[in-house]
């Protein structure tokens, strides 16, 4: 039995509040909750409150904490429970509160709690995608001969920080040994050595609705990354002469729409992901998830990463995206879609379908 389903038994479902942490996509989540008529709660640190006060019409109740992990303290939890709060996890949630607190939180969470653990481990994530039957880049073991270009990913790297590219086994080995010596990683096992797929990035925002039992494609984006995206502004000779190392630090998101003929595979992947999550992590994914891919020139789509919750790229579509409009015929952000699902679940007496 999921913790959140135990806790929600004590709630007054006519007075549900939607709560989130002050970061990432909080404004979108609060805005969406308000559009659907919910009371809203924002848990935030003191140094950020001035930002959210600018939007005070979106927040009914501020809960101020000294540290993010205070959300796991009894006094904060009691306050949140007294307000009948359902927590919406976003990209900063696990990073801020830590996996242990995130998993054990005694609050109803909108989404699948058991996917947090997989999300926190790059290797488990890739296994999950492979098991789902989704095309992924090849992964190499440490010491294996490298065929082509690889990207080496470090655990917990924020926005691609510290990743490096390499072409040979020796290059990979010597850089990884250097990282171990510097204490940046503990062992070679910590690094994910992955085929570098040459193509264009595309990030697909899905929403699985347990209430409507359907996968919706609500939007897509491209991440803008420095300096890999800036390098193309320089002539190749200049790049070579000053020996710039490409890096993958995300600084923002750009909207995109896809060639319509490619939607076939995008839907296929979304459905495979949902089915796999139902089998491997019952009851399966709830609400937002994102498949992060590189599209090759033969139009094959390689998924190198996923997120099991709302991604920051959805912040582009506060007023809805060209895709969400097709389903809803009204402005529908991911934040609002979450709130709509909760509202439908309450109306259909099925709240347990959307919280864990
Ligand atoms: P990640 O931390 O896995 O989201 O990766 C950060 C960035 O590195 C991505 O947004 C891509 O630009 C790039 N990247 C990651 N994996 C690959 C890959 N296998 N092939 C090509 N580019 C990649």
């Amino acid at each position: 039995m999921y913790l959140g389903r135990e806790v929600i038994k004590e709630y007054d479902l006519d007075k549900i509040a939607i709560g989130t942490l002050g970061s990432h996509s909080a404004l979108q989540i609060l805005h969406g909750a308000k559009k659907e008529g919910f009371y809203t709660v924002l848990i935030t640190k003191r140094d950020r409150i001035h930002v959210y006060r600018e939007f005070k019409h979106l927040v009914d109740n501020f809960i101020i904490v000294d540290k993010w992990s205070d959300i796991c303290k009894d006094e904060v939890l009691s306050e949140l429970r007294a307000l009948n709060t359902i927590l919406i996890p976003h990209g900063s949630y696990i990073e801020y509160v830590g996996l242990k607190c995130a998993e054990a939180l005694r609050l109803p969470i909108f989404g699948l709690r058991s996917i947090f653990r997989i999300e926190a481990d790059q290797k488990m994530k890739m296994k999950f995608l492979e098991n789902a039957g989704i095309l992924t880049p090849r992964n190499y073991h440490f010491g294996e001969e490298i065929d082509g270009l690889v990207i080496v990913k470090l655990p917990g790297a924020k926005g691609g920080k510290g990743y490096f590219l390499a072409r040979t086994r020796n290059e990979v080995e010597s850089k990884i040994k250097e990282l171990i010596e510097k204490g940046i990683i503990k062992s070679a096992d910590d690094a994910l050595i992955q085929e570098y797929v040459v193509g264009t990035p595309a990030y697909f925002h899905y929403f699985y609705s347990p209430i409507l039992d359907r996968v919706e494609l609500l939007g897509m984006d491209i991440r803008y990354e420095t300096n890999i995206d800036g390098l193309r502004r320089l002539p190749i000779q200049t790049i070579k002469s000053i020996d710039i190392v490409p890096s993958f630090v995300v600084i923002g998101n750009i909207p995109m729409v896809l060639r319509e003929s490619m939607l076939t595979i995008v839907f296929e992947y979304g459905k495979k992901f949902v089915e796999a999550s139902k089998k491997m992590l019952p009851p399966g994914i709830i609400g937002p998830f994102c498949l992060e891919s590189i599209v090759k020139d033969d139009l094959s789509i390689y998924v190198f990463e996923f997120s099991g919750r709302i991604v920051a790229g959805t912040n582009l579509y506060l007023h809805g995206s060209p895709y969400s409009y097709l389903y809803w015929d009204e402005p529908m952000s991911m934040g609002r879609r979450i709130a709509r699902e909760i509202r439908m679940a309450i109306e259909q007496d099925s709240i347990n379908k959307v919280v864990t």
Side-chain angles (χ1 to χ4, degrees):
M1 178 63 146
Y2 280 103
L3 268 173
R5 292 182 180 173
E6 278 295 321
V7 177
I8 210 159
K9 283 186 196 158
E10 305 155 11
Y11 277 19
D12 180 346
L13 294 184
D14 292 328
K15 291 189 183 148
I16 287 291
I18 286 186
T20 197
L21 301 188
S23 179
H24 193 267
S25 42
L27 289 168
Q28 184 198 155
I29 292 167
L30 297 167
H31 179 264
K34 277 276 153 222
K35 282 273 172 228
E36 294 299 306
F38 284 101
Y39 187 87
T40 58
V41 187
L42 186 76
I43 306 118
T44 193
K45 291 214 305 188
R46 212 167 293 280
D47 58 349
R48 291 194 181 181
I49 193 152
H50 68 101
V51 175
Y52 293 100
R53 284 231 162 95
E54 298 289 331
F55 304 97
K56 54 178 181 287
H57 54 288
L58 299 180
V59 189
D60 293 307
N61 202 316
F62 284 97
I63 295 186
I64 301 169
V65 289
D66 294 323
K67 309 191 292 305
W68 292 112
S69 55
D70 286 353
I71 190 178
C72 275
K73 283 192 175 158
D74 280 344
E75 59 266 30
V76 178
L77 284 173
S78 322
E79 207 176 335
L80 287 165
R81 280 206 295 265
L83 294 166
N84 302 292
T85 310
I86 295 179
L87 187 90
I88 316 297
H90 51 47
S92 304
Y93 172 59
I94 303 175
E95 189 192 322
Y96 283 8
V97 310
L99 183 62
K100 207 166 144 223
C101 163
E103 282 188 321
L105 194 77
R106 290 197 69 80
L107 271 189
I109 286 180
F110 178 84
L112 181 64
R113 211 180 263 258
S114 54
I115 209 162
F116 296 166
R117 186 160 287 270
I118 313 269
E119 265 207 84
D121 181 320
Q122 284 169 326
K123 289 190 181 169
M124 282 205 312
K125 251 196 242 188
M126 294 316 297
K127 260 265 136 342
F128 184 95
L129 289 168
E130 279 166 33
N131 288 342
I134 290 170
L135 184 62
T136 55
R138 177 174 168 191
N139 282 317
Y140 289 90
H141 301 294
F142 183 73
E144 200 176 338
E145 218 44 72
I146 303 293
D147 177 20
L149 186 64
V150 290
I151 179 165
V152 181
K153 304 184 180 183
L154 310 184
K158 289 185 192 107
K161 219 173 181 161
Y163 288 6
F164 64 87
L165 298 181
R167 232 178 301 258
T168 63
R169 184 179 73 176
N170 280 348
E171 231 183 299
V172 171
E173 285 185 356
S174 67
K175 282 196 181 156
I176 288 185
K177 280 181 188 149
E178 199 182 304
L179 291 170
I180 297 173
E181 274 160 25
K182 285 187 182 158
I184 295 172
I185 53 174
K186 284 199 197 93
S187 76
D189 255 4
D190 288 347
L192 182 75
I193 309 162
Q194 192 173 72
E195 166 193 0
Y196 186 88
V197 183
V198 178
T200 46
Y203 302 79
F204 307 112
H205 316 156
Y206 300 91
F207 185 95
Y208 175 65
S209 164
I211 299 299
L212 302 177
D213 188 22
R214 72 179 190 193
V215 184
E216 297 170 11
L217 176 68
L218 288 190
M220 52 189 80
D221 75 294
I222 301 171
R223 281 186 201 151
Y224 203 38
E225 295 167 337
T226 186
N227 54 29
I228 189 82
D229 288 321
L231 285 176
R232 63 184 159 196
R233 304 174 65 198
L234 294 171
I236 196 90
Q237 296 86 337
T238 315
I239 298 174
K240 279 189 183 151
S241 68
I242 52 176
D243 195 22
I244 298 175
V245 182
S247 52
F248 300 87
V249 181
V250 183
I251 60 121
N253 305 77
I254 305 170
M256 82 174 282
V257 286
L258 197 70
R259 266 173 78 163
E260 195 153 313
S261 56
M262 291 175 68
L263 289 180
T264 328
I265 182 159
V266 173
F267 272 103
E268 196 187 294
Y269 280 10
K271 287 177 185 167
K272 280 183 169 173
F273 186 91
V274 171
E275 284 320 309
S277 72
K278 285 185 180 178
K279 275 201 202 99
M280 291 187 265
L281 302 168
I285 193 84
I286 297 165
F289 66 99
C290 178
L291 295 184
E292 305 168 12
S293 77
I294 302 282
V295 185
K296 277 200 191 174
D297 58 1
D298 63 1
L299 303 186
S300 53
I301 303 180
Y302 284 72
V303 178
F304 61 86
E305 165 87 288
F306 76 80
S307 305
R309 34 83 205 160
I310 183 169
V311 287
T314 60
N315 284 337
L316 288 164
Y317 305 118
L318 220 83
H319 205 64
S321 82
Y323 297 99
S324 71
Y325 198 67
L326 295 171
Y327 293 97
W328 292 97
D329 228 354
E330 62 181 320
M332 184 62 72
S333 67
M334 190 62 87
R336 183 170 187 183
R337 184 65 190 86
I338 291 170
R340 176 71 55 95
E341 190 76 1
I342 295 174
R343 189 151 70 78
M344 288 193 292
I346 296 169
E347 283 163 6
Q348 295 182 21
D349 202 12
S350 302
I351 196 69
N352 272 350
K353 283 190 179 173
V354 300
V355 298
T356 59

